[in-house]
Amino acid sequence: MNTVFPPAPSVTVPVVGTNAQFPVHRIYCVGRNYVDHAQEMGHTGREPPFFFMKPADAVVVAAPGCVTPLPYPGLTKNLHYEIELVVAIGTGGKNISVKQAESHIFGYAVGLDMTRRDLQNDMKAQGRPWCIGKGFDHSAPMGLITPKEAAGDISHAAISLQVNNVLRQNSTVEQLIWNMAETIAELSAAWELQPGDLIYSGTPAGVGAVVPGDTLKGCISGLTDIALKVV
Ligand code: MN
């Protein structure tokens, strides 16, 4: 193909147990999907799900067994971590039913929805879009994708985040307000899901700020851990 400049390389994430890569299409994120986090953000935890997006090239792959550098972004003085279960879509579709949703999932990964909380709050206060607070470069670190058959019973998995070896977030996936099937059903009514879509499913309570030098370690039982150092 004759292009006026070289196309951007596609964003891919390694898949556990194979040499194959998962090509990323879009990144959808669910807001306030754990009751305790919704409450810490000033809400009841009973609101319907809502969505925002990050660019696909915001992914930072955190390879197992090493500490991956995570650049501290510009413009913020309040960079927050949010540990999240990432759902990787293998089969697309629109208006997917809750019953059918599971069959559209390829696998799962541990992710961080990094957030410039000060900018997000400014935008919220002004009724403006969140993208400067959520969709910045390097805002979507994640670990390798584990195929669902190898992940075990992810709906009851423990999810946790340590900052500098201190436990900051600790919950289980069953605490999700809108579970993965319900989220896929809702999302697919608004957008036609495609193979390669990632869904950051929301974070439990305990979000907070990190600064350069801090180390983040995220774990979800059954999946590959992630470790990153803010630089
Ligand atoms: Mn989030």
Side-chain angles (χ1 to χ4, degrees):
M1 197 202 319
N2 185 26
T3 57
V4 295
F5 47 81
S10 56
V11 177
T12 60
V13 180
V15 175
V16 173
T18 160
N19 291 326
Q21 303 269 325
F22 180 93
V24 179
H25 178 245
R26 291 179 181 167
I27 304 175
Y28 297 99
C29 304
V30 188
R32 292 178 213 130
N33 204 15
Y34 286 81
V35 174
D36 53 1
H37 174 63
Q39 289 171 345
E40 79 178 346
M41 301 303 281
H43 302 271
T44 67
R46 305 205 190 283
E47 293 83 2
F50 69 93
F51 307 105
F52 57 92
M53 295 176 77
K54 293 174 184 269
D57 64 358
V59 165
V60 175
V61 175
C66 61
V67 180
T68 301
L70 180 65
Y72 195 91
L75 299 182
T76 186
K77 292 187 169 63
N78 196 17
L79 177 68
H80 273 207
Y81 53 80
E82 298 188 353
I83 188 75
E84 310 208 354
L85 171 68
V86 179
V87 180
I89 297 294
T91 310
K94 54 183 173 182
N95 297 315
I96 297 166
S97 69
V98 171
K99 216 173 222 177
Q100 285 297 313
E102 165 79 20
S103 69
H104 292 259
I105 297 174
F106 172 81
Y108 305 101
V110 179
L112 282 166
D113 167 13
M114 298 306 293
T115 302
R116 294 193 283 207
R117 192 72 74 199
D118 44 359
L119 300 185
Q120 184 199 23
N121 288 342
D122 281 355
M123 292 297 119
K124 268 189 205 173
Q126 298 180 65
R128 290 180 177 173
W130 289 9
C131 59
I132 200 168
K134 286 289 197 180
F136 53 94
D137 296 344
H138 315 297
S139 61
M142 64 181 290
L144 272 50
I145 295 173
T146 300
K148 66 180 172 188
E149 299 77 16
D153 180 13
I154 206 73
S155 64
H156 294 87
I159 177 170
S160 67
L161 181 82
Q162 293 180 20
V163 180
N164 303 330
N165 297 317
V166 177
L167 188 63
R168 297 293 184 191
Q169 294 189 276
N170 190 25
S171 188
T172 65
V173 171
E174 61 195 315
Q175 301 301 313
L176 282 168
I177 299 169
W178 302 92
N179 66 31
M180 289 165 285
E182 291 166 333
T183 298
I184 288 168
E186 289 273 342
L187 253 183
S188 70
W191 293 274
E192 180 172 353
L193 293 180
Q194 301 290 340
D197 286 340
L198 298 174
I199 305 169
Y200 280 61
S201 58
T203 196
V207 301
V210 284
V211 295
D214 287 344
T215 299
L216 296 156
K217 187 175 180 213
C219 303
I220 297 177
S221 46
L223 306 182
T224 305
D225 296 352
I226 60 172
L228 298 109
K229 183 173 188 160
V230 183
V231 295

